[in-house]
Amino acid sequence: MSKIGIIIGREFNERVRKKSFIITTLLMPILMIGLMVAPALIMEFSQGDEKHITVIDRSGLVAPQLESDEEVIFESSTIPLEEARRELTEQFAILYIGDDILENPNAVQLYANSSTSIGLELNITGQIERILEEEKLKKHEIHNLQAILEEIETTVTMQTFRNDKSQEESSEAQSSIVATLLGYILSFVLYMFLLIYGSMVMQSVIEEKSNRVLEVMVSSVKPFDMMLGKILGVGCVAVLQVAIWGVLMLGVSAFVLPNLMPEDVMSAASSVEMAAASDLNPDMLQAVSAMTDTGYLIKIFGSMLLFVFGGFLLYAAMFAAVGSAVDNVQDAAQLQTPITIPIILGLLMMMAVINDPNSSLAFWFSIFPLTSPIVMMARIPYDIPLWEIGLSLVVLYLSFMALVWVAAKIYRVGIFMYGKKPTLKELWKWMRYN
């Protein structure tokens, strides 16, 4: 155990003391927030250039009612279509509307002088559809359809409570939107950790094998102890990174968010009665409630630590076995494909969790050890029973203990093999050696 401890310490210190570890640890939360905010910012600032569209309306019904905006400006014209196409090349496009547009809604053509976008085309067709519907409704003596629809439009907000919990627990509203977003984030973090840190173990083994360092170390350390020490050392780095993020998140939740949020938002988020009486978005209030609930965050990050460590141990053993069997990273690509497929499959299974977090498919994939770290972290925000989390962890860690024994058999043979990339058949033979 003392030799394994030395290897763990060496692997841990080598990575934690790097500037890259400190930078990624501090910048990753900012990057995650940026990835969530980026789509909204892109949509906000992605407004295109001003586009002038000449409208030739033979029916006389549509052109007067088309509404221009900051991006699209409609200009009516009565010149013939062919002449407009020849002379109005400075315009962005020419919109032609036939005289039988009411009977033939397909009598619409757009002649653009450059490429168009789906947003622009939907804007034009949407306005024409609305105008034609209003014109048809006038025959039934229904006027101002848009104003009527806006007047009767009603938005219903619903708070969801768990009736299978205790009276105290069920008094807190839950949001499936918040759970879905949180499940997405946690699953992607697990996906990233398994691939990045697992590949880190494989590359470390390949590098030490290429430098013949392993041959020297094997003279004083058993191959199994060496592989286990390397896996645990890198695993501790992953756990430390998650723990730092958890502490930062708890600090922000306890001291920063309450001071940044308006007092009425914090009051509504902390009380079901005030939330029901408030006109604020209930999903936003429940998100604020979850982000300021220290107990809830401890549960999330505690579960994340256990699944990050267990998932990493499982996959790192396989990555270490692959690294010992080859001489360079290029040769490892083919052998590591079967390892990465279950990781990608776990990420794809998030869709099943979103559709129904309690479905049989979601349950069994959250128990199956090769997909459980990612799938279970997508289910945990939905407040699933604790026994399911416990069962998933037990199966995960037992699977690691079985797999590390198999990986060690490949590892002890592979570290002495040079100049040849083994086939899967040869790896199977290595596993059967005594």
Side-chain angles (χ1 to χ4, degrees):
M1 291 303 297
S2 61
K3 294 179 180 179
I4 295 177
I6 293 173
I7 298 173
I8 292 174
R10 184 256 180 188
E11 296 291 335
F12 181 81
N13 291 324
E14 180 185 4
R15 287 164 175 79
V16 169
R17 292 180 179 178
K18 288 183 179 179
K19 291 182 179 179
S20 58
F21 173 81
I22 299 173
I23 293 173
T24 55
T25 301
L26 296 177
L27 292 184
M28 188 59 70
I30 300 175
L31 178 62
M32 294 296 293
I33 295 173
L35 289 175
M36 289 186 289
V37 175
L41 293 177
I42 291 173
M43 293 299 295
E44 181 70 22
F45 295 102
S46 62
Q47 188 173 350
D49 297 331
E50 193 175 84
K51 299 177 179 63
H52 291 262
I53 298 178
T54 298
V55 182
I56 301 176
D57 183 7
R58 298 306 183 201
S59 69
L61 298 174
V62 178
Q65 301 184 65
L66 288 174
E67 298 178 357
S68 302
D69 54 30
E70 295 179 357
E71 185 177 350
V72 181
I73 298 176
F74 295 102
E75 301 169 351
S76 297
S77 177
T78 57
I79 63 176
L81 175 62
E82 295 302 323
E83 182 181 345
R85 293 182 64 183
R86 287 195 306 268
E87 298 182 359
L88 302 180
T89 55
E90 297 291 329
Q91 298 287 83
F92 176 80
I94 299 167
L95 178 63
Y96 177 80
I97 300 172
D99 53 4
D100 59 342
I101 186 65
L102 275 176
E103 293 75 22
N104 181 20
N106 298 323
V108 180
Q109 291 90 38
L110 182 70
Y111 300 90
N113 292 314
S114 64
S115 58
T116 64
S117 65
I118 187 171
L120 173 66
E121 294 176 7
L122 289 176
N123 179 7
I124 296 173
T125 56
Q127 288 201 52
I128 295 175
E129 288 171 357
R130 176 182 56 80
I131 293 169
L132 294 180
E133 288 170 357
E134 289 186 349
E135 290 296 326
K136 290 179 179 181
L137 284 170
K138 286 180 181 179
K139 297 180 181 180
H140 301 277
E141 298 183 354
I142 300 176
H143 304 281
N144 299 324
L145 174 63
Q146 193 63 29
I148 295 172
L149 291 176
E150 291 177 359
E151 181 181 349
I152 65 175
E153 182 180 0
T154 305
T155 301
V156 176
T157 58
M158 180 176 66
Q159 292 180 296
T160 304
F161 300 88
R162 289 290 293 270
N163 200 43
D164 58 343
K165 300 289 183 179
S166 65
Q167 194 70 25
E168 181 179 350
E169 291 176 314
S170 64
S171 64
E172 298 179 1
Q174 298 180 350
S175 171
S176 58
I177 295 178
V178 174
T180 299
L181 291 176
L182 190 55
Y184 260 123
I185 295 170
L186 295 176
S187 295
F188 272 110
V189 170
L190 263 292
Y191 171 80
M192 177 189 67
F193 266 84
L194 294 181
L195 282 181
I196 292 178
Y197 281 96
S199 299
M200 191 182 296
V201 171
M202 182 185 71
Q203 292 170 0
S204 176
V205 173
I206 294 174
E207 181 182 346
E208 292 179 354
K209 181 180 177 181
S210 301
N211 297 334
R212 305 290 176 124
V213 174
L214 291 178
E215 294 182 3
V216 178
M217 295 179 64
V218 165
S219 62
S220 57
V221 183
K222 294 179 181 179
F224 176 81
D225 295 343
M226 186 162 40
M227 185 188 74
L228 188 61
K230 184 177 290 291
I231 292 173
L232 293 176
V234 179
C236 289
V237 177
V239 169
L240 176 63
Q241 198 163 43
V242 174
I244 292 174
W245 291 347
V247 171
L248 290 175
M249 182 62 72
L250 290 173
V252 171
S253 170
F255 303 107
V256 178
L257 279 180
N259 294 322
L260 291 178
M261 291 290 176
E263 186 176 348
D264 60 331
V265 174
M266 291 302 299
S267 300
S270 60
S271 171
V272 175
E273 291 77 11
M274 294 187 68
S278 173
D279 58 353
L280 298 173
N281 188 300
D283 288 313
M284 185 269 289
L285 293 178
Q286 289 164 18
V288 172
S289 177
M291 293 301 295
T292 54
D293 187 346
T294 304
Y296 179 75
L297 293 178
I298 290 176
K299 174 188 173 182
I300 292 294
F301 278 100
S303 301
M304 189 173 176
L305 281 173
L306 293 173
F307 280 102
V308 163
F309 192 61
F312 167 79
L313 292 178
L314 186 73
Y315 278 97
M318 293 187 284
F319 276 112
V322 169
S324 67
V326 297
D327 297 332
N328 52 68
V329 177
Q330 288 74 22
D331 291 340
Q334 182 179 358
L335 293 178
Q336 71 178 357
T337 299
I339 303 175
T340 56
I341 288 176
I343 300 177
I344 298 173
L345 179 61
L347 195 63
L348 295 176
M349 281 306 302
M350 282 195 305
M351 300 307 298
V353 172
I354 292 171
N355 290 331
D356 185 0
N358 296 308
S359 67
S360 298
L361 191 65
F363 172 78
W364 287 112
F365 272 92
S366 66
I367 301 299
F368 182 58
L370 294 179
T371 57
S372 63
I374 296 175
V375 178
M376 185 55 82
M377 287 312 301
R379 294 185 67 210
I380 287 176
Y382 291 93
D383 198 17
I384 61 174
L386 287 177
W387 70 266
E388 294 186 12
I389 301 175
L391 177 61
S392 179
L393 287 171
V394 169
V395 173
L396 178 62
Y397 281 88
L398 287 177
S399 300
F400 160 70
M401 294 173 63
L403 190 60
V404 75
W405 178 78
V406 174
K409 285 181 170 289
I410 300 175
Y411 186 87
R412 68 178 183 175
V413 178
I415 57 177
F416 297 109
M417 295 291 183
Y418 294 95
K420 179 185 177 183
K421 182 175 68 173
T423 63
L424 293 176
K425 185 177 180 180
E426 288 175 319
L427 292 179
W428 175 251
K429 289 182 179 179
W430 294 0
M431 287 189 287
R432 299 171 64 186
Y433 288 160
N434 294 324

